[in-house]
Amino acid sequence: MNTEKKPIAIWLLICCALVFAMIVVGGVTRLTDSGLSIVEWQPLVGTMPPITEQDWDELLEKYRTSPQYQQINKGMSVDEFKTIFWWEYFHRLLGRLIGVVFFVPFVYFLVKKKIDRPLGYKLAGIFVLGGLQGFMGWYMVMSGLVDNPNVSQYRLTAHLGLAFIIFAALFWVALGLLSPPAHSVETTGQNTDTLNGLRRYAYGLSWLVFIMILSGGFVAGIRAGLAYNTFPLMNGHFIPPDLFILEPWYRNFFENMTTVQFDHRMIAWILAFTVPLFWFKAIRANLSGTTHLACHLFLLMLIVQISLGIATLLKVVPIHLAAAHQGGAVLLFTASLWVSQRLSRRI
């Protein structure tokens, strides 16, 4: 590891931790129906929280113009409004904090010439993604401020997916700075074909975890977790009879609660078989201790995440379990990326 790059890697990992918190808080915001409580997008002015009673009255008056208030929360008191407001406020505040924590050190490292051109392009790309994420968040909220008091599940999933892409980019670059060069990694007795196969396997699993996360976005977007709260069968069916009740047929994958939950379950089942098989193959290979540790954590996080998913389903999506399940998705994705990065550095 280049010791000069270590501060940059630590900074990026701090950004990863903030994005992790952002994803969890965003999940709670969705679960508490708080995302539409702020009906304006004020990136700078909106940093200041309401202080006086007049401030709260003005915010509530603006909220009263929204479909969510008129169709769901009509008659909501100021105290009730404060509960949903703070979740959305802290969600947006975290977004602003991430922007500052990323941008200020980025400029500092550039001025100090600590960032070479290739790394600079990568970090600039991540910064652009962060700006796009802010716009995507407001674009999502806008979908719930017109007629329907719920945000679009398509926009919500895009917002969630982009958050995970930003997290992955930050984490991957940080690991690249912390990991030794590929040629310095000990490879005693290892078969190149075996390692290449494991690397492709790990990459495929990382993509599959990401796809499962996107499917979870649709589950949250149409509240599909509130249906079929049984396991392992769905109300006595392995394949529910109403999988394709919508026309045209492809709408079912995004708008049918049964199909959306079924898809999420099926991806989890695939991971439940393929990750242990990968772990078994990896343990048999002569990998370094760090890579072995990454493989162990990947399997462990899969077990934890599936357990949280089942518990969330059976308990009919309580907020604490659902938030833990969303946080578990980040940790599972992190473990998969760590495994993929370790194997990519060994070949």
Side-chain angles (χ1 to χ4, degrees), residues 34-42 46 59 63 81 84-86 88-90 92 138 141 145:
S34 304
L36 299 176
S37 59
I38 302 177
V39 298
E40 296 176 318
W41 190 34
Q42 299 174 311
L59 285 170
Y63 176 63
F81 173 69
I84 62 172
F85 171 87
W86 284 121
E88 175 64 6
Y89 173 79
F90 282 121
R92 297 192 185 194
W138 176 242
V141 169
L145 296 178

mmCIF file with all atom_site columns, all heavy atoms in Angstrom, residues 34-42 46 59 63 81 84-86 88-90 92 138 141 145:
data_model
loop_
_atom_site.group_PDB
_atom_site.id
_atom_site.type_symbol
_atom_site.label_atom_id
_atom_site.label_alt_id
_atom_site.label_comp_id
_atom_site.label_asym_id
_atom_site.label_entity_id
_atom_site.label_seq_id
_atom_site.pdbx_PDB_ins_code
_atom_site.Cartn_x
_atom_site.Cartn_y
_atom_site.Cartn_z
_atom_site.occupancy
_atom_site.B_iso_or_equiv
_atom_site.pdbx_formal_charge
_atom_site.auth_seq_id
_atom_site.auth_comp_id
_atom_site.auth_asym_id
_atom_site.auth_atom_id
_atom_site.pdbx_PDB_model_num
ATOM 1   N N   . SER A 1 34  ? -42.512 9.633  5.423  1.00 0.00 ? 34  SER A N   1
ATOM 2   C CA  . SER A 1 34  ? -42.031 10.981 5.719  1.00 0.00 ? 34  SER A CA  1
ATOM 3   C C   . SER A 1 34  ? -41.482 11.712 4.504  1.00 0.00 ? 34  SER A C   1
ATOM 4   O O   . SER A 1 34  ? -41.244 12.915 4.554  1.00 0.00 ? 34  SER A O   1
ATOM 5   C CB  . SER A 1 34  ? -40.928 10.915 6.788  1.00 0.00 ? 34  SER A CB  1
ATOM 6   O OG  . SER A 1 34  ? -41.378 10.264 7.953  1.00 0.00 ? 34  SER A OG  1
ATOM 7   N N   . GLY A 1 35  ? -41.265 10.988 3.409  1.00 0.00 ? 35  GLY A N   1
ATOM 8   C CA  . GLY A 1 35  ? -40.557 11.565 2.281  1.00 0.00 ? 35  GLY A CA  1
ATOM 9   C C   . GLY A 1 35  ? -41.246 12.722 1.596  1.00 0.00 ? 35  GLY A C   1
ATOM 10  O O   . GLY A 1 35  ? -40.596 13.523 0.906  1.00 0.00 ? 35  GLY A O   1
ATOM 11  N N   . LEU A 1 36  ? -42.573 12.846 1.764  1.00 0.00 ? 36  LEU A N   1
ATOM 12  C CA  . LEU A 1 36  ? -43.313 13.916 1.106  1.00 0.00 ? 36  LEU A CA  1
ATOM 13  C C   . LEU A 1 36  ? -43.660 15.063 2.058  1.00 0.00 ? 36  LEU A C   1
ATOM 14  O O   . LEU A 1 36  ? -44.461 15.924 1.724  1.00 0.00 ? 36  LEU A O   1
ATOM 15  C CB  . LEU A 1 36  ? -44.602 13.354 0.496  1.00 0.00 ? 36  LEU A CB  1
ATOM 16  C CG  . LEU A 1 36  ? -44.401 12.270 -0.572 1.00 0.00 ? 36  LEU A CG  1
ATOM 17  C CD1 . LEU A 1 36  ? -45.751 11.719 -1.031 1.00 0.00 ? 36  LEU A CD1 1
ATOM 18  C CD2 . LEU A 1 36  ? -43.620 12.811 -1.761 1.00 0.00 ? 36  LEU A CD2 1
ATOM 19  N N   . SER A 1 37  ? -43.048 15.051 3.241  1.00 0.00 ? 37  SER A N   1
ATOM 20  C CA  . SER A 1 37  ? -43.379 16.075 4.239  1.00 0.00 ? 37  SER A CA  1
ATOM 21  C C   . SER A 1 37  ? -42.789 17.435 3.891  1.00 0.00 ? 37  SER A C   1
ATOM 22  O O   . SER A 1 37  ? -43.284 18.470 4.351  1.00 0.00 ? 37  SER A O   1
ATOM 23  C CB  . SER A 1 37  ? -42.902 15.642 5.627  1.00 0.00 ? 37  SER A CB  1
ATOM 24  O OG  . SER A 1 37  ? -41.499 15.434 5.631  1.00 0.00 ? 37  SER A OG  1
ATOM 25  N N   . ILE A 1 38  ? -41.719 17.450 3.099  1.00 0.00 ? 38  ILE A N   1
ATOM 26  C CA  . ILE A 1 38  ? -41.121 18.714 2.648  1.00 0.00 ? 38  ILE A CA  1
ATOM 27  C C   . ILE A 1 38  ? -41.408 18.838 1.162  1.00 0.00 ? 38  ILE A C   1
ATOM 28  O O   . ILE A 1 38  ? -40.900 18.063 0.355  1.00 0.00 ? 38  ILE A O   1
ATOM 29  C CB  . ILE A 1 38  ? -39.602 18.747 2.920  1.00 0.00 ? 38  ILE A CB  1
ATOM 30  C CG1 . ILE A 1 38  ? -39.316 18.546 4.418  1.00 0.00 ? 38  ILE A CG1 1
ATOM 31  C CG2 . ILE A 1 38  ? -39.003 20.076 2.449  1.00 0.00 ? 38  ILE A CG2 1
ATOM 32  C CD1 . ILE A 1 38  ? -37.849 18.498 4.768  1.00 0.00 ? 38  ILE A CD1 1
ATOM 33  N N   . VAL A 1 39  ? -42.214 19.799 0.803  1.00 0.00 ? 39  VAL A N   1
ATOM 34  C CA  . VAL A 1 39  ? -42.722 19.872 -0.571 1.00 0.00 ? 39  VAL A CA  1
ATOM 35  C C   . VAL A 1 39  ? -41.921 20.820 -1.450 1.00 0.00 ? 39  VAL A C   1
ATOM 36  O O   . VAL A 1 39  ? -42.336 21.139 -2.563 1.00 0.00 ? 39  VAL A O   1
ATOM 37  C CB  . VAL A 1 39  ? -44.208 20.289 -0.562 1.00 0.00 ? 39  VAL A CB  1
ATOM 38  C CG1 . VAL A 1 39  ? -45.042 19.258 0.171  1.00 0.00 ? 39  VAL A CG1 1
ATOM 39  C CG2 . VAL A 1 39  ? -44.383 21.675 0.073  1.00 0.00 ? 39  VAL A CG2 1
ATOM 40  N N   . GLU A 1 40  ? -40.769 21.293 -0.956 1.00 0.00 ? 40  GLU A N   1
ATOM 41  C CA  . GLU A 1 40  ? -39.911 22.173 -1.740 1.00 0.00 ? 40  GLU A CA  1
ATOM 42  C C   . GLU A 1 40  ? -38.504 21.605 -1.781 1.00 0.00 ? 40  GLU A C   1
ATOM 43  O O   . GLU A 1 40  ? -38.088 20.872 -0.870 1.00 0.00 ? 40  GLU A O   1
ATOM 44  C CB  . GLU A 1 40  ? -39.866 23.587 -1.138 1.00 0.00 ? 40  GLU A CB  1
ATOM 45  C CG  . GLU A 1 40  ? -41.201 24.307 -1.164 1.00 0.00 ? 40  GLU A CG  1
ATOM 46  C CD  . GLU A 1 40  ? -41.122 25.653 -0.465 1.00 0.00 ? 40  GLU A CD  1
ATOM 47  O OE1 . GLU A 1 40  ? -40.485 25.735 0.593  1.00 0.00 ? 40  GLU A OE1 1
ATOM 48  O OE2 . GLU A 1 40  ? -41.700 26.620 -0.993 1.00 0.00 ? 40  GLU A OE2 1
ATOM 49  N N   . TRP A 1 41  ? -37.782 21.941 -2.828 1.00 0.00 ? 41  TRP A N   1
ATOM 50  C CA  . TRP A 1 41  ? -36.385 21.546 -2.920 1.00 0.00 ? 41  TRP A CA  1
ATOM 51  C C   . TRP A 1 41  ? -35.530 22.797 -2.794 1.00 0.00 ? 41  TRP A C   1
ATOM 52  O O   . TRP A 1 41  ? -35.480 23.626 -3.689 1.00 0.00 ? 41  TRP A O   1
ATOM 53  C CB  . TRP A 1 41  ? -36.108 20.846 -4.255 1.00 0.00 ? 41  TRP A CB  1
ATOM 54  C CG  . TRP A 1 41  ? -34.743 20.197 -4.300 1.00 0.00 ? 41  TRP A CG  1
ATOM 55  C CD1 . TRP A 1 41  ? -34.082 19.615 -3.267 1.00 0.00 ? 41  TRP A CD1 1
ATOM 56  C CD2 . TRP A 1 41  ? -33.885 20.075 -5.437 1.00 0.00 ? 41  TRP A CD2 1
ATOM 57  N NE1 . TRP A 1 41  ? -32.878 19.116 -3.687 1.00 0.00 ? 41  TRP A NE1 1
ATOM 58  C CE2 . TRP A 1 41  ? -32.719 19.388 -5.010 1.00 0.00 ? 41  TRP A CE2 1
ATOM 59  C CE3 . TRP A 1 41  ? -33.986 20.464 -6.770 1.00 0.00 ? 41  TRP A CE3 1
ATOM 60  C CZ2 . TRP A 1 41  ? -31.661 19.086 -5.875 1.00 0.00 ? 41  TRP A CZ2 1
ATOM 61  C CZ3 . TRP A 1 41  ? -32.931 20.160 -7.641 1.00 0.00 ? 41  TRP A CZ3 1
ATOM 62  C CH2 . TRP A 1 41  ? -31.793 19.482 -7.188 1.00 0.00 ? 41  TRP A CH2 1
ATOM 63  N N   . GLN A 1 42  ? -34.884 22.952 -1.645 1.00 0.00 ? 42  GLN A N   1
ATOM 64  C CA  . GLN A 1 42  ? -34.042 24.106 -1.372 1.00 0.00 ? 42  GLN A CA  1
ATOM 65  C C   . GLN A 1 42  ? -32.674 23.605 -0.903 1.00 0.00 ? 42  GLN A C   1
ATOM 66  O O   . GLN A 1 42  ? -32.422 23.479 0.301  1.00 0.00 ? 42  GLN A O   1
ATOM 67  C CB  . GLN A 1 42  ? -34.674 24.998 -0.310 1.00 0.00 ? 42  GLN A CB  1
ATOM 68  C CG  . GLN A 1 42  ? -36.039 25.563 -0.707 1.00 0.00 ? 42  GLN A CG  1
ATOM 69  C CD  . GLN A 1 42  ? -36.695 26.317 0.433  1.00 0.00 ? 42  GLN A CD  1
ATOM 70  O OE1 . GLN A 1 42  ? -36.784 25.831 1.562  1.00 0.00 ? 42  GLN A OE1 1
ATOM 71  N NE2 . GLN A 1 42  ? -37.160 27.526 0.141  1.00 0.00 ? 42  GLN A NE2 1
ATOM 72  N N   . GLY A 1 46  ? -32.705 25.284 2.548  1.00 0.00 ? 46  GLY A N   1
ATOM 73  C CA  . GLY A 1 46  ? -33.347 24.235 3.332  1.00 0.00 ? 46  GLY A CA  1
ATOM 74  C C   . GLY A 1 46  ? -32.471 23.613 4.398  1.00 0.00 ? 46  GLY A C   1
ATOM 75  O O   . GLY A 1 46  ? -32.910 22.729 5.125  1.00 0.00 ? 46  GLY A O   1
ATOM 76  N N   . LEU A 1 59  ? -44.561 25.630 7.284  1.00 0.00 ? 59  LEU A N   1
ATOM 77  C CA  . LEU A 1 59  ? -44.229 24.345 6.661  1.00 0.00 ? 59  LEU A CA  1
ATOM 78  C C   . LEU A 1 59  ? -45.456 23.445 6.574  1.00 0.00 ? 59  LEU A C   1
ATOM 79  O O   . LEU A 1 59  ? -45.684 22.773 5.558  1.00 0.00 ? 59  LEU A O   1
ATOM 80  C CB  . LEU A 1 59  ? -43.117 23.648 7.453  1.00 0.00 ? 59  LEU A CB  1
ATOM 81  C CG  . LEU A 1 59  ? -41.711 24.209 7.277  1.00 0.00 ? 59  LEU A CG  1
ATOM 82  C CD1 . LEU A 1 59  ? -40.759 23.597 8.294  1.00 0.00 ? 59  LEU A CD1 1
ATOM 83  C CD2 . LEU A 1 59  ? -41.209 23.956 5.863  1.00 0.00 ? 59  LEU A CD2 1
ATOM 84  N N   . TYR A 1 63  ? -47.414 21.815 3.387  1.00 0.00 ? 63  TYR A N   1
ATOM 85  C CA  . TYR A 1 63  ? -47.684 20.380 3.311  1.00 0.00 ? 63  TYR A CA  1
ATOM 86  C C   . TYR A 1 63  ? -49.160 20.106 3.049  1.00 0.00 ? 63  TYR A C   1
ATOM 87  O O   . TYR A 1 63  ? -49.511 19.119 2.395  1.00 0.00 ? 63  TYR A O   1
ATOM 88  C CB  . TYR A 1 63  ? -47.230 19.707 4.608  1.00 0.00 ? 63  TYR A CB  1
ATOM 89  C CG  . TYR A 1 63  ? -47.540 18.230 4.678  1.00 0.00 ? 63  TYR A CG  1
ATOM 90  C CD1 . TYR A 1 63  ? -46.979 17.330 3.771  1.00 0.00 ? 63  TYR A CD1 1
ATOM 91  C CD2 . TYR A 1 63  ? -48.391 17.732 5.661  1.00 0.00 ? 63  TYR A CD2 1
ATOM 92  C CE1 . TYR A 1 63  ? -47.255 15.970 3.836  1.00 0.00 ? 63  TYR A CE1 1
ATOM 93  C CE2 . TYR A 1 63  ? -48.678 16.376 5.741  1.00 0.00 ? 63  TYR A CE2 1
ATOM 94  C CZ  . TYR A 1 63  ? -48.110 15.506 4.826  1.00 0.00 ? 63  TYR A CZ  1
ATOM 95  O OH  . TYR A 1 63  ? -48.395 14.156 4.894  1.00 0.00 ? 63  TYR A OH  1
ATOM 96  N N   . PHE A 1 81  ? -47.046 16.337 12.487 1.00 0.00 ? 81  PHE A N   1
ATOM 97  C CA  . PHE A 1 81  ? -46.272 16.720 11.309 1.00 0.00 ? 81  PHE A CA  1
ATOM 98  C C   . PHE A 1 81  ? -44.781 16.730 11.621 1.00 0.00 ? 81  PHE A C   1
ATOM 99  O O   . PHE A 1 81  ? -43.957 16.330 10.780 1.00 0.00 ? 81  PHE A O   1
ATOM 100 C CB  . PHE A 1 81  ? -46.720 18.098 10.823 1.00 0.00 ? 81  PHE A CB  1
ATOM 101 C CG  . PHE A 1 81  ? -45.872 18.662 9.726  1.00 0.00 ? 81  PHE A CG  1
ATOM 102 C CD1 . PHE A 1 81  ? -45.884 18.105 8.455  1.00 0.00 ? 81  PHE A CD1 1
ATOM 103 C CD2 . PHE A 1 81  ? -45.038 19.750 9.969  1.00 0.00 ? 81  PHE A CD2 1
ATOM 104 C CE1 . PHE A 1 81  ? -45.095 18.621 7.439  1.00 0.00 ? 81  PHE A CE1 1
ATOM 105 C CE2 . PHE A 1 81  ? -44.243 20.272 8.965  1.00 0.00 ? 81  PHE A CE2 1
ATOM 106 C CZ  . PHE A 1 81  ? -44.271 19.713 7.692  1.00 0.00 ? 81  PHE A CZ  1
ATOM 107 N N   . ILE A 1 84  ? -42.924 13.282 11.063 1.00 0.00 ? 84  ILE A N   1
ATOM 108 C CA  . ILE A 1 84  ? -42.537 12.893 9.708  1.00 0.00 ? 84  ILE A CA  1
ATOM 109 C C   . ILE A 1 84  ? -41.557 13.895 9.091  1.00 0.00 ? 84  ILE A C   1
ATOM 110 O O   . ILE A 1 84  ? -40.708 13.522 8.266  1.00 0.00 ? 84  ILE A O   1
ATOM 111 C CB  . ILE A 1 84  ? -43.767 12.708 8.785  1.00 0.00 ? 84  ILE A CB  1
ATOM 112 C CG1 . ILE A 1 84  ? -44.544 14.012 8.629  1.00 0.00 ? 84  ILE A CG1 1
ATOM 113 C CG2 . ILE A 1 84  ? -44.673 11.610 9.321  1.00 0.00 ? 84  ILE A CG2 1
ATOM 114 C CD1 . ILE A 1 84  ? -45.655 13.939 7.589  1.00 0.00 ? 84  ILE A CD1 1
ATOM 115 N N   . PHE A 1 85  ? -41.664 15.147 9.519  1.00 0.00 ? 85  PHE A N   1
ATOM 116 C CA  . PHE A 1 85  ? -40.769 16.169 8.962  1.00 0.00 ? 85  PHE A CA  1
ATOM 117 C C   . PHE A 1 85  ? -39.320 15.866 9.293  1.00 0.00 ? 85  PHE A C   1
ATOM 118 O O   . PHE A 1 85  ? -38.442 15.947 8.430  1.00 0.00 ? 85  PHE A O   1
ATOM 119 C CB  . PHE A 1 85  ? -41.142 17.561 9.492  1.00 0.00 ? 85  PHE A CB  1
ATOM 120 C CG  . PHE A 1 85  ? -40.140 18.624 9.129  1.00 0.00 ? 85  PHE A CG  1
ATOM 121 C CD1 . PHE A 1 85  ? -40.235 19.300 7.921  1.00 0.00 ? 85  PHE A CD1 1
ATOM 122 C CD2 . PHE A 1 85  ? -39.089 18.938 9.986  1.00 0.00 ? 85  PHE A CD2 1
ATOM 123 C CE1 . PHE A 1 85  ? -39.293 20.276 7.574  1.00 0.00 ? 85  PHE A CE1 1
ATOM 124 C CE2 . PHE A 1 85  ? -38.142 19.904 9.649  1.00 0.00 ? 85  PHE A CE2 1
ATOM 125 C CZ  . PHE A 1 85  ? -38.249 20.570 8.438  1.00 0.00 ? 85  PHE A CZ  1
ATOM 126 N N   . TRP A 1 86  ? -39.031 15.514 10.562 1.00 0.00 ? 86  TRP A N   1
ATOM 127 C CA  . TRP A 1 86  ? -37.630 15.368 10.980 1.00 0.00 ? 86  TRP A CA  1
ATOM 128 C C   . TRP A 1 86  ? -36.915 14.253 10.241 1.00 0.00 ? 86  TRP A C   1
ATOM 129 O O   . TRP A 1 86  ? -35.727 14.351 9.944  1.00 0.00 ? 86  TRP A O   1
ATOM 130 C CB  . TRP A 1 86  ? -37.542 15.153 12.490 1.00 0.00 ? 86  TRP A CB  1
ATOM 131 C CG  . TRP A 1 86  ? -37.745 16.405 13.299 1.00 0.00 ? 86  TRP A CG  1
ATOM 132 C CD1 . TRP A 1 86  ? -38.690 16.650 14.244 1.00 0.00 ? 86  TRP A CD1 1
ATOM 133 C CD2 . TRP A 1 86  ? -36.963 17.608 13.211 1.00 0.00 ? 86  TRP A CD2 1
ATOM 134 N NE1 . TRP A 1 86  ? -38.564 17.914 14.756 1.00 0.00 ? 86  TRP A NE1 1
ATOM 135 C CE2 . TRP A 1 86  ? -37.506 18.523 14.143 1.00 0.00 ? 86  TRP A CE2 1
ATOM 136 C CE3 . TRP A 1 86  ? -35.865 18.002 12.444 1.00 0.00 ? 86  TRP A CE3 1
ATOM 137 C CZ2 . TRP A 1 86  ? -36.971 19.808 14.314 1.00 0.00 ? 86  TRP A CZ2 1
ATOM 138 C CZ3 . TRP A 1 86  ? -35.335 19.287 12.614 1.00 0.00 ? 86  TRP A CZ3 1
ATOM 139 C CH2 . TRP A 1 86  ? -35.895 20.170 13.543 1.00 0.00 ? 86  TRP A CH2 1
ATOM 140 N N   . GLU A 1 88  ? -37.414 13.272 7.100  1.00 0.00 ? 88  GLU A N   1
ATOM 141 C CA  . GLU A 1 88  ? -37.058 13.771 5.777  1.00 0.00 ? 88  GLU A CA  1
ATOM 142 C C   . GLU A 1 88  ? -35.990 14.861 5.876  1.00 0.00 ? 88  GLU A C   1
ATOM 143 O O   . GLU A 1 88  ? -35.079 14.931 5.046  1.00 0.00 ? 88  GLU A O   1
ATOM 144 C CB  . GLU A 1 88  ? -38.306 14.309 5.064  1.00 0.00 ? 88  GLU A CB  1
ATOM 145 C CG  . GLU A 1 88  ? -38.040 14.956 3.717  1.00 0.00 ? 88  GLU A CG  1
ATOM 146 C CD  . GLU A 1 88  ? -37.482 14.006 2.666  1.00 0.00 ? 88  GLU A CD  1
ATOM 147 O OE1 . GLU A 1 88  ? -37.401 12.779 2.928  1.00 0.00 ? 88  GLU A OE1 1
ATOM 148 O OE2 . GLU A 1 88  ? -37.109 14.487 1.583  1.00 0.00 ? 88  GLU A OE2 1
ATOM 149 N N   . TYR A 1 89  ? -36.085 15.687 6.905  1.00 0.00 ? 89  TYR A N   1
ATOM 150 C CA  . TYR A 1 89  ? -35.095 16.752 7.077  1.00 0.00 ? 89  TYR A CA  1
ATOM 151 C C   . TYR A 1 89  ? -33.700 16.163 7.277  1.00 0.00 ? 89  TYR A C   1
ATOM 152 O O   . TYR A 1 89  ? -32.734 16.589 6.633  1.00 0.00 ? 89  TYR A O   1
ATOM 153 C CB  . TYR A 1 89  ? -35.478 17.641 8.266  1.00 0.00 ? 89  TYR A CB  1
ATOM 154 C CG  . TYR A 1 89  ? -34.410 18.660 8.608  1.00 0.00 ? 89  TYR A CG  1
ATOM 155 C CD1 . TYR A 1 89  ? -34.291 19.833 7.857  1.00 0.00 ? 89  TYR A CD1 1
ATOM 156 C CD2 . TYR A 1 89  ? -33.531 18.434 9.657  1.00 0.00 ? 89  TYR A CD2 1
ATOM 157 C CE1 . TYR A 1 89  ? -33.306 20.759 8.154  1.00 0.00 ? 89  TYR A CE1 1
ATOM 158 C CE2 . TYR A 1 89  ? -32.538 19.365 9.961  1.00 0.00 ? 89  TYR A CE2 1
ATOM 159 C CZ  . TYR A 1 89  ? -32.429 20.522 9.214  1.00 0.00 ? 89  TYR A CZ  1
ATOM 160 O OH  . TYR A 1 89  ? -31.442 21.427 9.499  1.00 0.00 ? 89  TYR A OH  1
ATOM 161 N N   . PHE A 1 90  ? -33.592 15.174 8.176  1.00 0.00 ? 90  PHE A N   1
ATOM 162 C CA  . PHE A 1 90  ? -32.276 14.575 8.436  1.00 0.00 ? 90  PHE A CA  1
ATOM 163 C C   . PHE A 1 90  ? -31.771 13.798 7.219  1.00 0.00 ? 90  PHE A C   1
ATOM 164 O O   . PHE A 1 90  ? -30.562 13.723 6.984  1.00 0.00 ? 90  PHE A O   1
ATOM 165 C CB  . PHE A 1 90  ? -32.336 13.687 9.673  1.00 0.00 ? 90  PHE A CB  1
ATOM 166 C CG  . PHE A 1 90  ? -32.308 14.442 10.965 1.00 0.00 ? 90  PHE A CG  1
ATOM 167 C CD1 . PHE A 1 90  ? -33.351 14.332 11.880 1.00 0.00 ? 90  PHE A CD1 1
ATOM 168 C CD2 . PHE A 1 90  ? -31.269 15.301 11.267 1.00 0.00 ? 90  PHE A CD2 1
ATOM 169 C CE1 . PHE A 1 90  ? -33.342 15.034 13.073 1.00 0.00 ? 90  PHE A CE1 1
ATOM 170 C CE2 . PHE A 1 90  ? -31.241 16.026 12.456 1.00 0.00 ? 90  PHE A CE2 1
ATOM 171 C CZ  . PHE A 1 90  ? -32.275 15.888 13.353 1.00 0.00 ? 90  PHE A CZ  1
ATOM 172 N N   . ARG A 1 92  ? -32.280 14.680 4.072  1.00 0.00 ? 92  ARG A N   1
ATOM 173 C CA  . ARG A 1 92  ? -31.727 15.691 3.177  1.00 0.00 ? 92  ARG A CA  1
ATOM 174 C C   . ARG A 1 92  ? -30.456 16.304 3.761  1.00 0.00 ? 92  ARG A C   1
ATOM 175 O O   . ARG A 1 92  ? -29.511 16.605 3.018  1.00 0.00 ? 92  ARG A O   1
ATOM 176 C CB  . ARG A 1 92  ? -32.771 16.779 2.905  1.00 0.00 ? 92  ARG A CB  1
ATOM 177 C CG  . ARG A 1 92  ? -34.009 16.274 2.188  1.00 0.00 ? 92  ARG A CG  1
ATOM 178 C CD  . ARG A 1 92  ? -34.863 17.427 1.692  1.00 0.00 ? 92  ARG A CD  1
ATOM 179 N NE  . ARG A 1 92  ? -36.115 16.958 1.112  1.00 0.00 ? 92  ARG A NE  1
ATOM 180 C CZ  . ARG A 1 92  ? -36.925 17.710 0.374  1.00 0.00 ? 92  ARG A CZ  1
ATOM 181 N NH1 . ARG A 1 92  ? -36.609 18.972 0.133  1.00 0.00 ? 92  ARG A NH1 1
ATOM 182 N NH2 . ARG A 1 92  ? -38.049 17.212 -0.106 1.00 0.00 ? 92  ARG A NH2 1
ATOM 183 N N   . TRP A 1 138 ? -35.069 14.536 -5.599 1.00 0.00 ? 138 TRP A N   1
ATOM 184 C CA  . TRP A 1 138 ? -36.163 15.485 -5.766 1.00 0.00 ? 138 TRP A CA  1
ATOM 185 C C   . TRP A 1 138 ? -37.110 15.037 -6.879 1.00 0.00 ? 138 TRP A C   1
ATOM 186 O O   . TRP A 1 138 ? -38.326 15.187 -6.766 1.00 0.00 ? 138 TRP A O   1
ATOM 187 C CB  . TRP A 1 138 ? -35.615 16.879 -6.072 1.00 0.00 ? 138 TRP A CB  1
ATOM 188 C CG  . TRP A 1 138 ? -36.696 17.868 -6.355 1.00 0.00 ? 138 TRP A CG  1
ATOM 189 C CD1 . TRP A 1 138 ? -36.901 18.558 -7.503 1.00 0.00 ? 138 TRP A CD1 1
ATOM 190 C CD2 . TRP A 1 138 ? -37.753 18.273 -5.471 1.00 0.00 ? 138 TRP A CD2 1
ATOM 191 N NE1 . TRP A 1 138 ? -38.005 19.373 -7.404 1.00 0.00 ? 138 TRP A NE1 1
ATOM 192 C CE2 . TRP A 1 138 ? -38.552 19.214 -6.150 1.00 0.00 ? 138 TRP A CE2 1
ATOM 193 C CE3 . TRP A 1 138 ? -38.094 17.929 -4.159 1.00 0.00 ? 138 TRP A CE3 1
ATOM 194 C CZ2 . TRP A 1 138 ? -39.659 19.817 -5.581 1.00 0.00 ? 138 TRP A CZ2 1
ATOM 195 C CZ3 . TRP A 1 138 ? -39.212 18.522 -3.575 1.00 0.00 ? 138 TRP A CZ3 1
ATOM 196 C CH2 . TRP A 1 138 ? -39.974 19.452 -4.287 1.00 0.00 ? 138 TRP A CH2 1
ATOM 197 N N   . VAL A 1 141 ? -39.432 12.641 -5.291 1.00 0.00 ? 141 VAL A N   1
ATOM 198 C CA  . VAL A 1 141 ? -40.423 13.299 -4.438 1.00 0.00 ? 141 VAL A CA  1
ATOM 199 C C   . VAL A 1 141 ? -41.497 13.973 -5.280 1.00 0.00 ? 141 VAL A C   1
ATOM 200 O O   . VAL A 1 141 ? -42.688 13.930 -4.950 1.00 0.00 ? 141 VAL A O   1
ATOM 201 C CB  . VAL A 1 141 ? -39.735 14.325 -3.511 1.00 0.00 ? 141 VAL A CB  1
ATOM 202 C CG1 . VAL A 1 141 ? -40.773 15.211 -2.811 1.00 0.00 ? 141 VAL A CG1 1
ATOM 203 C CG2 . VAL A 1 141 ? -38.872 13.618 -2.475 1.00 0.00 ? 141 VAL A CG2 1
ATOM 204 N N   . LEU A 1 145 ? -46.185 14.484 -5.475 1.00 0.00 ? 145 LEU A N   1
ATOM 205 C CA  . LEU A 1 145 ? -46.734 15.807 -5.159 1.00 0.00 ? 145 LEU A CA  1
ATOM 206 C C   . LEU A 1 145 ? -47.743 16.286 -6.203 1.00 0.00 ? 145 LEU A C   1
ATOM 207 O O   . LEU A 1 145 ? -48.136 17.450 -6.183 1.00 0.00 ? 145 LEU A O   1
ATOM 208 C CB  . LEU A 1 145 ? -45.592 16.837 -5.043 1.00 0.00 ? 145 LEU A CB  1
ATOM 209 C CG  . LEU A 1 145 ? -44.591 16.598 -3.915 1.00 0.00 ? 145 LEU A CG  1
ATOM 210 C CD1 . LEU A 1 145 ? -43.496 17.658 -3.958 1.00 0.00 ? 145 LEU A CD1 1
ATOM 211 C CD2 . LEU A 1 145 ? -45.273 16.593 -2.550 1.00 0.00 ? 145 LEU A CD2 1
#
